[in-house]
């Protein structure tokens, strides 16, 4: 599977963004798709995960209630709706695939999309 992220931008605190992760090469139906982010000088961290087949989701505590990951009826796009953005959300956001949200390594990371939150 090949993944490509888009939708990153520079915004102010409190604003919203929606990131997209578009897949090609294979259907996402049997995958879990996670969003990761990496801030400058920091390690990459997991933000969210969605199991495409049943729509179940997981979120990191730092984004719970502000971010929502979704997939439109099994289509090959996964979204990350980010509301009430904070400066600490700044980073490069990546999506990646795995057989499930936990217990297996993620692969097929896309090139990333940059999010900068100021103020």
């Amino acid at each position: 599977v090949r993944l490509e992220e888009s939708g990153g931008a520079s915004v102010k605190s409190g604003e919203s963004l929606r990131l997209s992760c578009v897949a090609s090469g294979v259907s996402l139906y049997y995958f879990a798709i996670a969003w990761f982010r990496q801030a400058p000088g920091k390690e990459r961290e997991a933000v969210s995960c969605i199991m495409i087949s049943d729509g179940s989701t997981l979120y990191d505590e730092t984004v719970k209630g502000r971010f929502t990951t979704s997939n439109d009826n099994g289509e090959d796009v996964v979204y990350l709706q980010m509301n009430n953005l904070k400066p600490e959300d700044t980073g490069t956001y990546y999506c990646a695939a795995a057989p499930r949200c936990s217990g297996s390594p993620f692969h097929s990371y896309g090139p990333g999309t940059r999010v900068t939150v100021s103020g």
Side-chain angles (χ1 to χ4, degrees):
V1 59
R2 292 182 298 276
L3 302 174
E4 184 168 1
E5 308 87 348
S6 64
S10 294
V11 298
K12 296 181 180 179
S13 291
E15 294 185 340
S16 298
L17 279 176
R18 188 176 80 160
L19 306 184
S20 299
C21 172
V22 178
S24 59
V26 66
S27 170
L28 287 183
Y29 186 78
Y30 295 105
F31 286 94
I33 299 296
W35 285 95
F36 295 81
R37 67 185 177 193
Q38 187 167 19
K42 295 187 177 181
E43 294 189 356
R44 186 170 57 200
E45 60 180 0
V47 173
S48 67
C49 187
I50 182 169
M51 190 71 206
I52 301 299
S53 58
D54 65 9
S56 58
T57 56
L58 294 171
Y59 296 94
D60 183 75
E61 286 297 322
T62 61
V63 305
K64 198 173 289 185
R66 299 188 298 122
F67 290 12
T68 303
T69 188
S70 63
N71 167 257
D72 289 341
N73 295 319
E75 291 187 357
D76 293 333
V77 182
V78 172
Y79 302 101
L80 183 67
Q81 177 66 42
M82 307 186 295
N83 297 329
N84 189 22
L85 281 160
K86 303 176 180 181
E88 52 263 42
D89 295 319
T90 293
T92 299
Y93 284 69
Y94 305 88
C95 57
R100 61 193 68 83
C101 283
S102 59
S104 57
F106 283 88
H107 58 83
S108 305
Y109 287 85
T113 186
R114 178 79 177 165
V115 173
T116 302
V117 185
S118 60

